[in-house]
Amino acid sequence: MGVITMGKNYLDLKAEVWDTGKCASCGACVAVCPADAIYFETGKDSTSPLNNGYCKDANDGVPCGACYEVCPRLEQLPAELVGDYIDIVSARAEFAVPKKQSGGAVSALLANALDEGMIDAVVTVVADPWTLKPSSSVITSSDVLVHHAGSRYNWWVPLVASLKEAVITRKFANIAVVGVPCVVQAIEQMRGSDLDLIRPFKKYIRLVVGLFCTETFDYEKLVQEKLVEERQMNPLDIVKFDVTGKLEITMKDGSVAVIPLKDIEDCVRPGCHICTDLTALNSDISAGSIGTPDGYTTIIIRNSVGKQFFNSAVENGKLELGDGVDMVPIEKLSAKKLKRMPEE
């Protein structure tokens, strides 16, 4: 359920979340602000959003509280290893996904959903091909989706902010959202809200795909400082990133550079330090590279909605099933994240 705002506004959100280092920087507050008054500074190392000085509630006394209602960091942090699910399988795309992170299963599942008319838009993350710099985007074509496949979720992007474009500006009625656990938690807040201002978001989000995540990194600090300046790596030579207790960077020549997480700790987004959710517990489908062999994706089907989308992709020959999933590494990493749970 959504939080009860009780006259809360952005000033309360700022005091309780933004100014305390708890902000996940998911962008949910940006998406739902009816006055477009909340934003992230482009190109800046922002640890939380900013406000332009206006708030319907604070300035004009018009009840709102939308930003406070959808913030995932006002709820109790998740305390489960894997959460509820119907099935856990390994799968891979049955067609070529050139820049796939693991098995390309998420791209295949979403491409099938677009082709079958089950959704008409995907809110996701894309990367500049020259610099790898990430941004959020609304994609409506399966070809474009597959073209942008690959791991960009290691980078911080206020992904949920693009929901405003999808829901309010372009008025799509069947939207899929793909994101890391904090994004999924924000969508869960929207889905559980009874606030009128949140209703369009709640109504038109059809599928939520959560991606396994240990932490996200600040692009400027990691790529520009650690990789380009310190290690003389060219972003154009990087094929993919993978975080499984360490940062593994696969290069075009097939070589893999391994960087201990302690060496890039200062690149981790501040809000990640309190996150306890590895597998996106509140999604319809969760996915990640942990627990399956190279070339496959672990898929956690959590509910009937996720099962419908997954089954459609399999039946249409877009997904091929693998031999199973090793739960030990997933549970081990989940337990490690749970240790971040603050003591009462």
Side-chain angles (χ1 to χ4, degrees):
M1 294 295 291
V3 295
I4 300 174
T5 58
M6 297 294 291
K8 300 281 189 176
N9 57 42
Y10 93 92
L11 292 172
D12 299 287
L13 185 62
K14 182 176 185 296
E16 296 177 38
V17 178
W18 300 356
D19 294 345
T20 58
K22 295 179 181 179
C23 181
S25 300
C26 65
C29 55
V30 178
V32 301
C33 177
D36 295 326
I38 301 174
Y39 64 98
F40 277 93
E41 280 196 327
T42 305
K44 298 290 184 180
D45 180 21
S46 300
T47 57
S48 62
L50 299 173
N51 178 275
N52 66 9
Y54 176 74
C55 172
K56 288 174 62 176
D57 191 319
N59 294 87
D60 298 335
V62 178
C64 180
C67 60
Y68 196 92
E69 179 86 355
V70 300
C71 179
R73 289 295 162 83
L74 291 163
E75 291 286 285
Q76 184 175 352
L77 294 168
E80 299 175 76
L81 287 179
V82 181
D84 297 330
Y85 60 88
I86 294 174
D87 200 3
I88 299 181
V89 300
S90 64
R92 66 181 180 184
E94 276 275 38
F95 56 91
V97 181
K99 298 178 183 178
K100 64 186 180 183
Q101 165 66 6
S102 50
V106 171
S107 296
L109 189 148
L110 293 170
N112 175 76
L114 283 168
D115 289 342
E116 293 297 307
M118 300 172 76
I119 55 174
D120 45 28
V122 179
V123 175
T124 184
V125 178
V126 299
D128 184 293
W130 301 98
T131 64
L132 301 183
K133 190 166 187 176
S135 60
S136 56
S137 181
V138 180
I139 294 178
T140 58
S141 158
S142 60
D143 290 341
V144 173
L145 183 80
V146 170
H147 173 75
H148 283 291
S151 177
R152 297 163 300 275
Y153 295 91
N154 300 118
W155 309 120
W156 162 69
V157 173
L159 175 72
V160 189
S162 283
L163 266 179
K164 179 169 283 187
E165 176 190 346
V167 174
I168 305 301
T169 305
R170 301 177 70 177
K171 302 187 185 306
F172 290 119
N174 300 285
I175 300 168
V177 180
V178 188
V180 293
C182 58
V183 166
V184 173
Q185 292 160 18
I187 301 301
E188 181 70 4
Q189 290 298 104
M190 293 179 180
R191 285 177 154 179
S193 174
D194 293 323
L195 198 67
D196 285 344
L197 287 167
I198 310 300
R199 189 164 293 150
F201 299 91
K202 177 179 178 178
K203 182 178 180 181
Y204 298 130
I205 296 173
R206 303 298 190 203
L207 176 69
V208 179
V209 178
L211 302 168
F212 295 3
C213 179
T214 52
E215 55 268 304
T216 59
F217 299 96
D218 183 88
Y219 168 84
E220 296 292 342
K221 288 182 178 179
L222 182 53
V223 173
Q224 293 302 321
E225 295 178 18
K226 300 289 185 180
L227 302 186
V228 175
E229 295 176 14
E230 293 184 14
R231 290 173 170 81
Q232 284 76 53
M233 286 186 178
N234 185 342
L236 282 173
D237 293 332
I238 296 173
V239 175
K240 70 175 182 178
F241 294 84
D242 201 10
V243 182
T244 56
K246 55 187 176 293
L247 177 62
E248 296 182 351
I249 305 173
T250 303
M251 311 300 289
K252 281 184 177 178
D253 62 6
S255 64
V256 178
V258 178
I259 302 176
L261 292 184
K262 62 180 177 62
D263 292 350
I264 52 175
E265 182 65 25
D266 57 333
C267 303
V268 175
R269 296 290 299 176
C272 294
H273 294 304
I274 63 170
C275 179
T276 58
D277 185 355
L278 175 77
T279 61
L281 298 163
N282 295 317
S283 58
D284 300 314
I285 291 176
S286 299
S289 60
I290 306 167
T292 48
D294 287 344
Y296 283 86
T297 304
T298 296
I299 299 290
I300 303 178
I301 304 168
R302 297 196 178 276
N303 54 35
S304 59
V305 172
K307 189 169 182 62
Q308 181 182 5
F309 278 88
F310 180 82
N311 286 349
S312 176
V314 173
E315 290 165 5
N316 290 324
K318 298 291 179 65
L319 276 180
E320 175 190 351
L321 298 181
D323 293 331
V325 174
D326 180 2
M327 295 301 297
V328 173
I330 297 174
E331 292 174 350
K332 183 179 178 180
L333 268 179
S334 292
K336 187 176 181 180
K337 281 202 80 172
L338 277 178
K339 291 180 180 178
R340 300 176 183 177
M341 180 76 72
E343 296 181 2
E344 296 294 335

